[in-house]
Structure formats: C-alpha cells, structure tokens
C-alpha cells in the first residue's frame, strides 16, 4: 500500500480516503479456519482437522490427516483461497519426508515416497503458506 497525500480542499478527496479504507479492509480480512472435506478415504488426524485460512492476501493450509493413500487427491482447496502450484514435503509418522503437491486447480495430492510405505496408523502433517 502506498501513501497518498491529499488536501481536504482538493476535489474528490473523499474518494481517495474511501479507496484507502477498502484497501485496508482487504489487507486485514480474516476468514477464520475453514474445514476441508477429505476425499478418497483420507481422514482427519484424531481431533485435529485439515483446514485453510486466509488473512489479508496470505493463505495458510494446515494438513493433518491419516488413512493415507499415495498418488491420490486428498482434498480440493476452494478457489476463493486462490490456490497456487506448490510442491512441498510433509512430515509423516516417524518423521519421514513425504512429497505433496497443490495444483492451481486446488487439488491436493499425496505423492509416492520411495523411503516410506503407508500403514493404517500413519499420518501426514504439513503447513503450506502462499500469497495471492
């Protein structure tokens, strides 16, 4: 946001103020945590949930799930959160690294891991953050 200097005597000074207030409101808007619907047999990890939140122009995606299946879409991020392509590594049971991919379409896919094979009690945790 840039600073705009104006004189109250200038014509249309109120339009400048109103636009700055709109910009400030957009920069500080908070959706709160929104639960995501898990697909393809994935489930939330105990009492924690896979959720997303947008504060201003920054999105926070908190992944906490089990009943893992590799090479499968786990959920879809709503387009209102403006997903961007991200490839990341999540932490799994025993601290193994596990690749995940968020597509611009919003699909979140759990990829294959050569060092780790899924078990029924395994879980995946990750935090992805992006600006839109």
């Amino acid at each position: 946001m840039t600073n705009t200097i104006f004189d109250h005597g200038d014509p249309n000074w109120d339009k400048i103020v109103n636009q700055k207030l709109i910009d400030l409101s957009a920069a500080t808007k908070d959706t709160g945590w929104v639960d995501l619907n898990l697909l393809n047999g994935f489930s939330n990890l105990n009492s924690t949930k896979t959720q997303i939140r947008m504060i201003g122009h920054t999105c926070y995606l908190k992944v906490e799930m089990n009943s893992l299946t590799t090479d499968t879409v786990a959920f879809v991020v709503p387009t209102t959160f403006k997903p961007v392509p991200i490839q990341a590594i999540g932490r799994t049971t025993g601290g193994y690294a596990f690749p995940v991919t968020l597509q611009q379409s919003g699909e979140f896919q759990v990829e294959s891991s050569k060092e780790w094979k899924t078990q029924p009690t395994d879980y995946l945790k990750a935090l992805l953050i992006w600006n839109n």
Side-chain angles (χ1 to χ4, degrees), residues 110-130:
V110 176
E111 308 291 348
S112 293
S113 175
K114 293 180 182 177
E115 65 177 10
W116 183 70
K117 302 297 180 197
T118 61
Q119 301 296 321
T121 58
D122 291 337
Y123 62 81
L124 172 64
K125 288 189 175 191
L127 177 64
L128 283 69
I129 301 171
W130 67 90

Side-chain angles (χ1 to χ4, degrees), residues 11 14-16 19 21 59-60 71 94 97 99 118 121-122 129:
D14 56 330
K15 290 182 182 177
I16 296 170
Q19 183 58 51
L21 291 173
C59 289
Y60 304 86
D71 299 317
T118 61
T121 58
D122 291 337
I129 301 171

Side-chain angles (χ1 to χ4, degrees), residues 30-82:
D30 185 351
T31 64
W33 286 108
V34 176
D35 295 346
L36 294 173
N37 295 323
L38 301 181
L39 307 170
N40 299 317
F42 289 87
S43 60
N44 286 306
L45 179 60
N46 302 320
S47 62
T48 59
K49 295 184 178 180
T50 296
Q51 299 175 314
I52 192 164
R53 180 178 201 163
M54 184 168 23
I55 302 173
H57 299 288
T58 304
C59 289
Y60 304 86
L61 174 60
K62 178 176 64 170
V63 179
E64 297 196 27
M65 59 189 181
N66 58 9
S67 304
L68 306 177
T69 305
T70 58
D71 299 317
T72 306
V73 173
F75 55 85
V76 178
V77 171
T79 57
T80 53
F81 291 94
K82 302 176 184 170

